[in-house]
Amino acid sequence: MLLACGSLVGYGILNTEEKPKPRAVPTAEVMYEVTGEGTVEISYLARSESGSATVVKDAALPWKKTVRVPLGKDPTVAIVLGEEGGQAACTLAVRGAHVQRATAWGTYGRATCSGPLPRP
């Protein structure tokens, strides 16, 4: 009887049923910047659980955001001008180094900046 009770207590102590914590995903610092004039919608990739883009509607320019992006994902920032048009440029820098610049102009003008990150 004593042995059975001891076994149950030991099982309770050893069987914590804790799930392993997910490993941290390595990231790189990415800076997105949008300059210009007009009403602009900005979509950019940042570290998120869902992996979806973050969207900023009617962003005031100039706009700048520094985020961490998981290695292996390509950082991207896309801009769309409004009905009034105008001109805006996106810039992408990875770990402080300029990667790409693109310009949008006119009604609903679009531009996208993207670049590779190292694979994990």
PDB file of all heavy atoms in Angstrom, residues 62-84:
ATOM      1  N   PRO A  62       6.174  63.023 -42.934  1.00  0.00           N
ATOM      2  CA  PRO A  62       6.985  61.817 -43.061  1.00  0.00           C
ATOM      3  C   PRO A  62       6.632  60.804 -41.970  1.00  0.00           C
ATOM      4  O   PRO A  62       6.183  61.155 -40.883  1.00  0.00           O
ATOM      5  CB  PRO A  62       8.413  62.329 -42.913  1.00  0.00           C
ATOM      6  CG  PRO A  62       8.295  63.535 -42.039  1.00  0.00           C
ATOM      7  CD  PRO A  62       6.956  64.151 -42.407  1.00  0.00           C
ATOM      8  N   TRP A  63       6.861  59.534 -42.274  1.00  0.00           N
ATOM      9  CA  TRP A  63       6.549  58.417 -41.375  1.00  0.00           C
ATOM     10  C   TRP A  63       7.760  57.512 -41.326  1.00  0.00           C
ATOM     11  O   TRP A  63       8.401  57.254 -42.339  1.00  0.00           O
ATOM     12  CB  TRP A  63       5.339  57.668 -41.925  1.00  0.00           C
ATOM     13  CG  TRP A  63       4.922  56.457 -41.165  1.00  0.00           C
ATOM     14  CD1 TRP A  63       4.022  56.398 -40.145  1.00  0.00           C
ATOM     15  CD2 TRP A  63       5.352  55.106 -41.386  1.00  0.00           C
ATOM     16  NE1 TRP A  63       3.865  55.110 -39.723  1.00  0.00           N
ATOM     17  CE2 TRP A  63       4.683  54.282 -40.470  1.00  0.00           C
ATOM     18  CE3 TRP A  63       6.252  54.511 -42.273  1.00  0.00           C
ATOM     19  CZ2 TRP A  63       4.863  52.914 -40.406  1.00  0.00           C
ATOM     20  CZ3 TRP A  63       6.443  53.140 -42.216  1.00  0.00           C
ATOM     21  CH2 TRP A  63       5.747  52.364 -41.292  1.00  0.00           C
ATOM     22  N   LYS A  64       8.080  57.033 -40.113  1.00  0.00           N
ATOM     23  CA  LYS A  64       9.229  56.135 -39.948  1.00  0.00           C
ATOM     24  C   LYS A  64       8.884  55.109 -38.878  1.00  0.00           C
ATOM     25  O   LYS A  64       8.278  55.434 -37.865  1.00  0.00           O
ATOM     26  CB  LYS A  64      10.458  56.920 -39.519  1.00  0.00           C
ATOM     27  CG  LYS A  64      11.732  56.075 -39.436  1.00  0.00           C
ATOM     28  CD  LYS A  64      12.888  56.831 -38.824  1.00  0.00           C
ATOM     29  CE  LYS A  64      13.424  57.875 -39.748  1.00  0.00           C
ATOM     30  NZ  LYS A  64      14.694  58.471 -39.260  1.00  0.00           N
ATOM     31  N   LYS A  65       9.314  53.875 -39.111  1.00  0.00           N
ATOM     32  CA  LYS A  65       9.061  52.799 -38.154  1.00  0.00           C
ATOM     33  C   LYS A  65      10.233  51.832 -38.180  1.00  0.00           C
ATOM     34  O   LYS A  65      10.663  51.385 -39.237  1.00  0.00           O
ATOM     35  CB  LYS A  65       7.772  52.061 -38.538  1.00  0.00           C
ATOM     36  CG  LYS A  65       7.339  50.994 -37.595  1.00  0.00           C
ATOM     37  CD  LYS A  65       6.577  51.594 -36.444  1.00  0.00           C
ATOM     38  CE  LYS A  65       5.965  50.488 -35.597  1.00  0.00           C
ATOM     39  NZ  LYS A  65       5.275  51.021 -34.447  1.00  0.00           N
ATOM     40  N   THR A  66      10.763  51.512 -36.993  1.00  0.00           N
ATOM     41  CA  THR A  66      11.802  50.502 -36.863  1.00  0.00           C
ATOM     42  C   THR A  66      11.186  49.291 -36.177  1.00  0.00           C
ATOM     43  O   THR A  66      10.559  49.430 -35.128  1.00  0.00           O
ATOM     44  CB  THR A  66      13.005  51.037 -36.062  1.00  0.00           C
ATOM     45  OG1 THR A  66      13.516  52.194 -36.738  1.00  0.00           O
ATOM     46  CG2 THR A  66      14.093  49.997 -35.936  1.00  0.00           C
ATOM     47  N   VAL A  67      11.345  48.120 -36.789  1.00  0.00           N
ATOM     48  CA  VAL A  67      10.731  46.893 -36.281  1.00  0.00           C
ATOM     49  C   VAL A  67      11.739  45.759 -36.332  1.00  0.00           C
ATOM     50  O   VAL A  67      12.813  45.879 -36.911  1.00  0.00           O
ATOM     51  CB  VAL A  67       9.483  46.504 -37.122  1.00  0.00           C
ATOM     52  CG1 VAL A  67       8.414  47.566 -37.030  1.00  0.00           C
ATOM     53  CG2 VAL A  67       9.859  46.230 -38.565  1.00  0.00           C
ATOM     54  N   ARG A  68      11.394  44.641 -35.726  1.00  0.00           N
ATOM     55  CA  ARG A  68      12.191  43.410 -35.801  1.00  0.00           C
ATOM     56  C   ARG A  68      11.429  42.466 -36.725  1.00  0.00           C
ATOM     57  O   ARG A  68      10.245  42.253 -36.564  1.00  0.00           O
ATOM     58  CB  ARG A  68      12.348  42.798 -34.414  1.00  0.00           C
ATOM     59  CG  ARG A  68      12.850  43.759 -33.387  1.00  0.00           C
ATOM     60  CD  ARG A  68      14.243  43.770 -32.951  1.00  0.00           C
ATOM     61  NE  ARG A  68      15.136  42.704 -33.220  1.00  0.00           N
ATOM     62  CZ  ARG A  68      16.423  42.923 -33.486  1.00  0.00           C
ATOM     63  NH1 ARG A  68      16.899  44.137 -33.531  1.00  0.00           N
ATOM     64  NH2 ARG A  68      17.232  41.922 -33.699  1.00  0.00           N
ATOM     65  N   VAL A  69      12.133  41.912 -37.706  1.00  0.00           N
ATOM     66  CA  VAL A  69      11.534  40.988 -38.665  1.00  0.00           C
ATOM     67  C   VAL A  69      12.235  39.639 -38.512  1.00  0.00           C
ATOM     68  O   VAL A  69      13.470  39.590 -38.440  1.00  0.00           O
ATOM     69  CB  VAL A  69      11.678  41.516 -40.110  1.00  0.00           C
ATOM     70  CG1 VAL A  69      11.166  40.505 -41.119  1.00  0.00           C
ATOM     71  CG2 VAL A  69      10.925  42.835 -40.264  1.00  0.00           C
ATOM     72  N   PRO A  70      11.477  38.533 -38.449  1.00  0.00           N
ATOM     73  CA  PRO A  70      12.092  37.217 -38.320  1.00  0.00           C
ATOM     74  C   PRO A  70      13.031  36.920 -39.485  1.00  0.00           C
ATOM     75  O   PRO A  70      12.702  37.188 -40.639  1.00  0.00           O
ATOM     76  CB  PRO A  70      10.901  36.255 -38.332  1.00  0.00           C
ATOM     77  CG  PRO A  70       9.721  37.078 -37.967  1.00  0.00           C
ATOM     78  CD  PRO A  70      10.011  38.462 -38.467  1.00  0.00           C
ATOM     79  N   LEU A  71      14.205  36.364 -39.184  1.00  0.00           N
ATOM     80  CA  LEU A  71      15.139  35.967 -40.231  1.00  0.00           C
ATOM     81  C   LEU A  71      14.460  34.952 -41.129  1.00  0.00           C
ATOM     82  O   LEU A  71      13.726  34.085 -40.666  1.00  0.00           O
ATOM     83  CB  LEU A  71      16.411  35.373 -39.634  1.00  0.00           C
ATOM     84  CG  LEU A  71      17.272  36.321 -38.808  1.00  0.00           C
ATOM     85  CD1 LEU A  71      18.533  35.606 -38.332  1.00  0.00           C
ATOM     86  CD2 LEU A  71      17.629  37.578 -39.565  1.00  0.00           C
ATOM     87  N   GLY A  72      14.708  35.074 -42.409  1.00  0.00           N
ATOM     88  CA  GLY A  72      14.072  34.187 -43.368  1.00  0.00           C
ATOM     89  C   GLY A  72      12.833  34.794 -43.987  1.00  0.00           C
ATOM     90  O   GLY A  72      12.357  34.329 -45.017  1.00  0.00           O
ATOM     91  N   LYS A  73      12.266  35.843 -43.374  1.00  0.00           N
ATOM     92  CA  LYS A  73      11.121  36.560 -43.952  1.00  0.00           C
ATOM     93  C   LYS A  73      11.668  37.793 -44.648  1.00  0.00           C
ATOM     94  O   LYS A  73      12.567  38.449 -44.139  1.00  0.00           O
ATOM     95  CB  LYS A  73      10.135  37.004 -42.863  1.00  0.00           C
ATOM     96  CG  LYS A  73       9.593  35.891 -42.011  1.00  0.00           C
ATOM     97  CD  LYS A  73       8.552  35.130 -42.763  1.00  0.00           C
ATOM     98  CE  LYS A  73       7.934  34.082 -41.856  1.00  0.00           C
ATOM     99  NZ  LYS A  73       6.993  33.256 -42.527  1.00  0.00           N
ATOM    100  N   ASP A  74      11.163  38.126 -45.812  1.00  0.00           N
ATOM    101  CA  ASP A  74      11.632  39.311 -46.515  1.00  0.00           C
ATOM    102  C   ASP A  74      10.853  40.532 -46.035  1.00  0.00           C
ATOM    103  O   ASP A  74       9.631  40.582 -46.193  1.00  0.00           O
ATOM    104  CB  ASP A  74      11.463  39.142 -48.031  1.00  0.00           C
ATOM    105  CG  ASP A  74      12.392  38.081 -48.591  1.00  0.00           C
ATOM    106  OD1 ASP A  74      13.405  37.769 -47.933  1.00  0.00           O
ATOM    107  OD2 ASP A  74      12.112  37.571 -49.680  1.00  0.00           O
ATOM    108  N   PRO A  75      11.551  41.530 -45.462  1.00  0.00           N
ATOM    109  CA  PRO A  75      10.851  42.733 -45.019  1.00  0.00           C
ATOM    110  C   PRO A  75      10.305  43.483 -46.231  1.00  0.00           C
ATOM    111  O   PRO A  75      10.964  43.577 -47.267  1.00  0.00           O
ATOM    112  CB  PRO A  75      11.932  43.534 -44.300  1.00  0.00           C
ATOM    113  CG  PRO A  75      13.217  43.028 -44.826  1.00  0.00           C
ATOM    114  CD  PRO A  75      12.986  41.612 -45.225  1.00  0.00           C
ATOM    115  N   THR A  76       9.091  43.989 -46.084  1.00  0.00           N
ATOM    116  CA  THR A  76       8.433  44.687 -47.177  1.00  0.00           C
ATOM    117  C   THR A  76       7.628  45.859 -46.620  1.00  0.00           C
ATOM    118  O   THR A  76       6.968  45.722 -45.594  1.00  0.00           O
ATOM    119  CB  THR A  76       7.462  43.746 -47.923  1.00  0.00           C
ATOM    120  OG1 THR A  76       8.201  42.621 -48.392  1.00  0.00           O
ATOM    121  CG2 THR A  76       6.784  44.421 -49.081  1.00  0.00           C
ATOM    122  N   VAL A  77       7.686  46.986 -47.315  1.00  0.00           N
ATOM    123  CA  VAL A  77       6.816  48.112 -47.024  1.00  0.00           C
ATOM    124  C   VAL A  77       6.190  48.539 -48.347  1.00  0.00           C
ATOM    125  O   VAL A  77       6.880  48.650 -49.364  1.00  0.00           O
ATOM    126  CB  VAL A  77       7.562  49.293 -46.334  1.00  0.00           C
ATOM    127  CG1 VAL A  77       8.685  49.830 -47.183  1.00  0.00           C
ATOM    128  CG2 VAL A  77       6.592  50.400 -45.954  1.00  0.00           C
ATOM    129  N   ALA A  78       4.870  48.705 -48.351  1.00  0.00           N
ATOM    130  CA  ALA A  78       4.153  49.095 -49.566  1.00  0.00           C
ATOM    131  C   ALA A  78       3.331  50.336 -49.256  1.00  0.00           C
ATOM    132  O   ALA A  78       2.758  50.464 -48.161  1.00  0.00           O
ATOM    133  CB  ALA A  78       3.239  47.969 -50.024  1.00  0.00           C
ATOM    134  N   ILE A  79       3.278  51.258 -50.223  1.00  0.00           N
ATOM    135  CA  ILE A  79       2.495  52.478 -50.043  1.00  0.00           C
ATOM    136  C   ILE A  79       1.501  52.623 -51.183  1.00  0.00           C
ATOM    137  O   ILE A  79       1.779  52.234 -52.318  1.00  0.00           O
ATOM    138  CB  ILE A  79       3.394  53.734 -49.945  1.00  0.00           C
ATOM    139  CG1 ILE A  79       4.327  53.858 -51.159  1.00  0.00           C
ATOM    140  CG2 ILE A  79       4.200  53.703 -48.666  1.00  0.00           C
ATOM    141  CD1 ILE A  79       5.165  55.121 -51.179  1.00  0.00           C
ATOM    142  N   VAL A  80       0.338  53.176 -50.847  1.00  0.00           N
ATOM    143  CA  VAL A  80      -0.694  53.473 -51.838  1.00  0.00           C
ATOM    144  C   VAL A  80      -1.186  54.882 -51.547  1.00  0.00           C
ATOM    145  O   VAL A  80      -1.672  55.164 -50.446  1.00  0.00           O
ATOM    146  CB  VAL A  80      -1.875  52.477 -51.760  1.00  0.00           C
ATOM    147  CG1 VAL A  80      -2.929  52.824 -52.808  1.00  0.00           C
ATOM    148  CG2 VAL A  80      -1.404  51.047 -51.925  1.00  0.00           C
ATOM    149  N   LEU A  81      -1.058  55.763 -52.550  1.00  0.00           N
ATOM    150  CA  LEU A  81      -1.551  57.125 -52.406  1.00  0.00           C
ATOM    151  C   LEU A  81      -3.071  57.140 -52.491  1.00  0.00           C
ATOM    152  O   LEU A  81      -3.676  56.227 -53.065  1.00  0.00           O
ATOM    153  CB  LEU A  81      -0.962  58.021 -53.497  1.00  0.00           C
ATOM    154  CG  LEU A  81       0.546  58.226 -53.419  1.00  0.00           C
ATOM    155  CD1 LEU A  81       1.057  58.880 -54.697  1.00  0.00           C
ATOM    156  CD2 LEU A  81       0.908  59.060 -52.204  1.00  0.00           C
ATOM    157  N   GLY A  82      -3.663  58.185 -51.972  1.00  0.00           N
ATOM    158  CA  GLY A  82      -5.112  58.315 -51.996  1.00  0.00           C
ATOM    159  C   GLY A  82      -5.637  58.882 -53.299  1.00  0.00           C
ATOM    160  O   GLY A  82      -4.892  59.082 -54.268  1.00  0.00           O
ATOM    161  N   GLU A  83      -6.925  59.166 -53.314  1.00  0.00           N
ATOM    162  CA  GLU A  83      -7.598  59.695 -54.501  1.00  0.00           C
ATOM    163  C   GLU A  83      -7.044  61.055 -54.923  1.00  0.00           C
ATOM    164  O   GLU A  83      -7.016  61.391 -56.106  1.00  0.00           O
ATOM    165  CB  GLU A  83      -9.099  59.819 -54.213  1.00  0.00           C
ATOM    166  CG  GLU A  83      -9.917  60.245 -55.386  1.00  0.00           C
ATOM    167  CD  GLU A  83     -11.403  60.268 -55.066  1.00  0.00           C
ATOM    168  OE1 GLU A  83     -11.796  59.871 -53.961  1.00  0.00           O
ATOM    169  OE2 GLU A  83     -12.161  60.692 -55.945  1.00  0.00           O
ATOM    170  N   GLU A  84      -6.552  61.826 -53.945  1.00  0.00           N
ATOM    171  CA  GLU A  84      -5.990  63.150 -54.239  1.00  0.00           C
ATOM    172  C   GLU A  84      -4.634  63.059 -54.928  1.00  0.00           C
ATOM    173  O   GLU A  84      -4.112  64.059 -55.407  1.00  0.00           O
ATOM    174  CB  GLU A  84      -5.840  63.980 -52.953  1.00  0.00           C
ATOM    175  CG  GLU A  84      -7.115  64.164 -52.171  1.00  0.00           C
ATOM    176  CD  GLU A  84      -7.435  62.968 -51.281  1.00  0.00           C
ATOM    177  OE1 GLU A  84      -6.506  62.272 -50.822  1.00  0.00           O
ATOM    178  OE2 GLU A  84      -8.627  62.709 -51.068  1.00  0.00           O
TER     179      GLU A  84
END
